[in-house]
Amino acid sequence: MHVHFGSLFFCFIMSFFTLVLNPASAQSSDFLFKSGRTSYRIVVSTNASITERTSAQELKEYLEQISGARFELSSKPGSRNIFVGYEEGFSIYNEIKPYPNNSECFTVKKIGHDLVIYGGRERGTMYGVYRFLQKYFGIQWYTPYFTKIPTIKKFELRDIEFSEKPIIKYRFTDFFCAQDISWLAHNMMNTISRSTNNIYGAEAIYWGCHTMGDLIPASKYFKTNPEYFAYRNFHRIENGQLCLSNPNVLKIIIDEVLSVIRKYPNYKIYDVSQNDNQRFCTCRLCTKLENEYGGHSGLMIWFVNQVAREVKKEYPDKFIGTFAYQYTRHAPKGIKPEDNVVIRLCDIECCLSHSLESECCAENKAFMKDLKDWSNLTNNLFIWDYIVNYSNYMAPFPNIQVLGPNLKTFSKYGVIEVFEEAQSGTLGNAFEELKSWVLTQLMWNPYQNTDALVKQFVNDYYGAASKDVLDYYNLCCSLISENTHLTCFSDPTKAPFTDQFIEEAYRILERALAHADNDIVSERIQKVLLQPMALECVRQPKEFVEKGKWPKFKTQLLKYKAFFKVKESPENFIKSFESQYIRE
């Protein structure tokens, strides 16, 4: 048999150029999908956790929406596979070590022709699936009612390998627009307010808040046992704190907490904390203990430690939580929290327009000292961070720029959980959709570029009007200088807000409305318009009415059931405003 050398050389050259110029053709079998077809199946073990099954099903549905191809969901591998969840029975995992079940870490990796997505069984694998969809296909779960799902004709599985882990262990916010469990899970949030079974593995970690008044209610005990309650100005008071040095108070609290654990066993942490006031007990024994242990917090830790020790005997896996809040914010001396006590440190006094480690805010410096001191006493530190203005929920509140730096600070001091308190009751908070989404991204990884996240959200959420909305957002940010100190009780009638700012805000947002290319975007901009309207309404109420703006604002308030400020319903605000400024 004779083979011509020139023919062999020609074939080799042609094959070489085919590979170089069209590498996809050489790996055509590794197209996850192409032209509405796929040779891949999604494989999830029959032993998979509920979150792994949930995310495998959603992976199938999302890939089908993206590609138009039909993906098989199976418990048995085929010739090309996406494995969802670690399963030692699958040979592809032979050389791979599994994550602990409760780990939220995950790995996404191409092995041969297959893709494996695996992490902790409770939520790690699920997060890996969602990150894969986000990272490679551009899916974004911006709000519970707006998910961006691109359409893609083909996608080739090339060399893929990455792993992630959360910076903050437990992550929670209570923006009203962000309480959908599915949305929270897709954005890597793992904590909800109430314990419930769900397909996303979300947990209610913490039971209760300001619970001492619930555990020993004055309505039940004050008449018969006034000695259980705070001694102030030479008499016992009904509407203050408890007398923590009273041994019967300790016994009742222990019994009540054990009863709560038996009734609600799914929580990890059970609250035993001060009521939301500063009327603490000044009796001789309480004062003596405070002097011994470095102040009000020392008495609180002395008391809570005793509760925690008793709980540990029956429930060694449970924790007792308490506040370091207002008069108990400073760390104690000569005493440490027990290892099953969680300290919930609150920054309600801080400036929210500058980062906590900024040098320009005296109150932030004081908080940082408390944060450092508590971190030296316990490994169980929880942060209660405030990110809204209770004096006017709807008015502009430019604080997004501090969220990432503050979360980095919390991480540096070993914080295990962060709760970002917003407005939980109704819609209407300034830029609540934007803040909610950006916050979820930063709570997972605060080292991301916040400006880039804001721009991405605004571009996708406001469409053709995005440049105008971004101009307005930047106008809000321009209010902040080194001497601007916004707190969660800032007066919107005072600096940094001005009438000139309101005029410029209206001008930009009217331009945004003109650029809106559909009713959905127009409605979203109308909601942003609530911000300058809420400012003008309180700064210039008479002129606001005379200009005919009140009817529109009133309609929007009722539409979103928007609380104007803390504990003031729209109906009550409307009634009060109209009684002063509307003449029949």
Side-chain angles (χ1 to χ4, degrees):
M1 179 178 181
H2 300 279
V3 179
H4 195 278
F5 176 77
S7 297
L8 284 174
F9 180 75
F10 176 78
C11 292
F12 170 78
I13 292 296
M14 291 303 294
S15 299
F16 173 79
F17 277 104
T18 298
L19 288 170
V20 171
L21 297 178
N22 188 16
S25 65
Q27 301 181 26
S28 59
S29 60
D30 283 355
F31 273 98
L32 182 58
F33 55 80
K34 183 177 181 181
S35 302
R37 300 177 66 85
T38 182
S39 58
Y40 278 79
R41 67 173 56 176
I42 297 168
V43 181
V44 59
S45 167
T46 56
N47 298 320
S49 68
I50 186 170
T51 59
E52 289 173 333
R53 295 195 298 272
T54 297
S55 56
Q57 178 63 37
E58 290 192 357
L59 178 62
K60 166 184 164 63
E61 293 169 359
Y62 280 119
L63 287 178
E64 288 179 349
Q65 289 183 67
I66 291 167
S67 67
R70 296 295 302 274
F71 282 80
E72 179 185 359
L73 187 62
S74 176
S75 61
K76 297 180 180 180
S79 59
R80 299 288 183 270
N81 310 282
I82 302 177
F83 291 93
V84 175
Y86 186 94
E87 171 54 62
E88 62 182 10
F90 295 148
S91 60
I92 199 165
Y93 288 113
N94 284 350
E95 304 299 321
I96 295 175
K97 184 179 179 180
Y99 288 103
N101 286 347
N102 64 353
S103 171
E104 293 192 338
C105 304
F106 62 80
T107 293
V108 180
K109 182 179 183 180
K110 185 171 184 259
I111 302 176
H113 296 291
D114 296 330
L115 187 74
V116 295
I117 304 174
Y118 67 98
R121 288 170 53 85
E122 292 178 13
R123 286 182 292 269
T125 296
M126 177 180 69
Y127 291 156
V129 169
Y130 297 153
R131 181 66 85 223
F132 172 65
L133 289 167
Q134 183 187 55
K135 185 180 180 76
Y136 288 95
F137 303 102
I139 291 182
Q140 296 291 349
W141 296 271
Y142 285 123
T143 74
Y145 37 84
F146 174 52
T147 300
K148 178 186 176 183
I149 306 176
T151 300
I152 301 173
K153 291 184 178 179
K154 62 181 179 180
F155 181 84
E156 184 180 358
L157 278 178
R158 295 180 179 272
D159 293 334
I160 294 174
E161 183 172 0
F162 68 95
S163 300
E164 291 187 26
K165 64 179 181 179
I167 300 298
I168 304 293
K169 184 175 182 180
Y170 295 116
R171 306 167 297 282
F172 181 40
T173 185
D174 68 343
F175 274 109
F176 186 77
C177 68
Q179 292 311 297
D180 179 83
I181 291 179
S182 172
W183 181 86
L184 289 167
H186 288 98
N187 286 290
M188 316 294 207
M189 300 288 274
N190 59 5
T191 307
I192 53 178
S193 57
R194 296 180 181 178
S195 181
T196 179
N197 292 325
N198 61 86
I199 61 173
Y200 295 101
E203 291 185 84
I205 303 297
Y206 213 113
W207 175 88
C209 171
H210 297 303
T211 54
M212 285 186 172
D214 298 321
L215 298 171
I216 300 185
S219 59
K220 179 178 179 180
Y221 289 100
F222 187 76
K223 287 184 178 180
T224 57
N225 299 94
E227 71 275 12
Y228 293 174
F229 298 88
Y231 179 81
R232 295 176 67 85
N233 299 321
F234 307 107
H235 70 283
R236 298 286 173 175
I237 63 172
E238 186 174 357
N239 59 346
Q241 303 294 339
L242 298 176
C243 179
L244 299 183
S245 62
N246 188 306
N248 289 332
V249 168
L250 177 63
K251 182 180 184 305
I252 294 170
I253 291 283
I254 290 170
D255 290 343
E256 289 295 321
V257 170
L258 289 171
S259 177
V260 168
I261 295 174
R262 295 182 194 110
K263 187 175 181 180
Y264 305 108
N266 293 330
Y267 292 89
K268 285 184 170 63
I269 308 167
Y270 295 82
D271 185 83
V272 178
S273 68
Q274 67 211 57
N275 300 324
D276 199 2
N277 65 68
Q278 300 195 54
R279 295 182 288 274
F280 47 84
C281 185
T282 60
C283 78
R284 181 180 58 82
L285 286 176
C286 283
T287 302
K288 179 182 178 182
L289 286 164
E290 288 177 350
N291 291 337
E292 182 177 352
Y293 294 119
H296 302 304
S297 62
L299 169 61
M300 184 64 69
I301 296 305
W302 172 83
F303 181 87
V304 170
N305 276 352
Q306 294 177 81
V307 178
R309 285 194 287 268
E310 290 302 310
V311 167
K312 192 172 188 178
K313 294 175 183 177
E314 190 170 340
Y315 297 99
D317 60 331
K318 300 298 185 183
F319 291 79
I320 298 301
T322 196
F323 276 127
Y325 172 62
Q326 293 184 331
Y327 71 91
T328 61
R329 200 185 81 179
H330 302 310
K333 295 179 180 179
I335 190 171
K336 289 184 176 183
E338 292 285 329
D339 60 8
N340 64 328
V341 169
V342 173
I343 301 301
R344 191 147 58 166
L345 176 61
C346 306
D347 60 7
I348 194 169
E349 300 89 353
C350 289
C351 169
L352 307 184
S353 53
H354 298 107
S355 66
L356 290 169
E357 294 194 273
S358 170
E359 291 296 318
C360 64
C361 303
E363 188 54 58
N364 289 4
K365 290 181 181 179
F367 176 83
M368 283 303 304
K369 180 182 185 308
D370 293 337
L371 174 60
K372 294 173 185 176
D373 290 346
W374 280 110
S375 70
N376 289 330
L377 294 179
T378 179
N379 293 322
N380 299 324
L381 198 54
F382 175 126
I383 296 294
W384 188 306
D385 188 27
Y386 298 80
I387 58 174
V388 297
N389 183 6
Y390 296 118
S391 297
N392 192 320
Y393 282 129
M394 286 172 283
F397 196 68
N399 65 330
I400 290 183
Q401 71 280 358
V402 308
L403 300 179
N406 285 352
L407 287 164
K408 283 186 244 184
T409 297
F410 300 149
S411 173
K412 181 168 68 175
Y413 287 96
V415 167
I416 62 170
E417 180 171 2
V418 175
F419 169 47
E420 301 286 3
E421 180 171 349
Q423 182 184 7
S424 61
T426 63
L427 297 171
N429 203 294
F431 273 132
E432 59 192 335
E433 296 90 356
L434 168 64
K435 286 185 178 179
S436 297
W437 183 80
V438 170
L439 186 61
T440 63
Q441 308 307 300
L442 293 174
M443 291 186 85
W444 178 268
N445 175 14
Y447 294 91
Q448 298 180 78
N449 185 307
T450 302
D451 290 338
L453 291 171
V454 169
K455 186 174 182 180
Q456 177 186 329
F457 181 96
V458 170
N459 283 343
D460 287 341
Y461 196 66
Y462 296 100
S466 61
K467 182 181 181 303
D468 306 307
V469 176
L470 197 60
D471 286 345
Y472 169 70
Y473 168 83
N474 289 328
L475 177 69
C476 294
C477 292
S478 71
L479 294 170
I480 304 302
S481 68
E482 187 173 310
N483 297 318
T484 306
H485 304 293
L486 297 178
T487 72
C488 57
F489 292 101
S490 285
D491 185 346
T493 66
K494 298 179 180 179
F497 303 109
T498 65
D499 296 342
Q500 182 181 357
F501 167 83
I502 294 173
E503 291 176 8
E504 181 67 8
Y506 279 136
R507 188 185 67 79
I508 293 173
L509 293 176
E510 290 297 333
R511 188 176 69 213
L513 280 173
H515 288 155
D517 54 353
N518 60 64
D519 291 342
I520 293 175
V521 170
S522 179
E523 174 62 27
R524 291 170 181 169
I525 296 168
Q526 291 286 0
K527 190 176 180 190
V528 178
L529 265 166
L530 281 173
Q531 298 177 35
M533 293 180 82
L535 271 182
E536 186 180 14
C537 181
V538 294
R539 290 177 63 87
Q540 307 170 14
K542 292 182 180 179
E543 293 85 349
F544 191 72
V545 172
E546 290 170 359
K547 292 176 183 177
K549 294 182 179 180
W550 171 251
K552 179 180 178 180
F553 186 53
K554 175 180 176 180
T555 300
Q556 292 289 84
L557 288 178
L558 294 172
K559 177 179 180 178
Y560 294 112
K561 297 180 176 60
F563 274 51
F564 196 88
K565 61 183 179 180
V566 64
K567 296 182 180 179
E568 185 165 31
S569 69
E571 291 82 6
N572 287 343
F573 173 76
I574 290 168
K575 182 179 179 180
S576 174
F577 185 89
E578 290 186 339
S579 70
Q580 297 179 69
Y581 302 108
I582 306 295
R583 297 289 179 262
E584 294 296 338

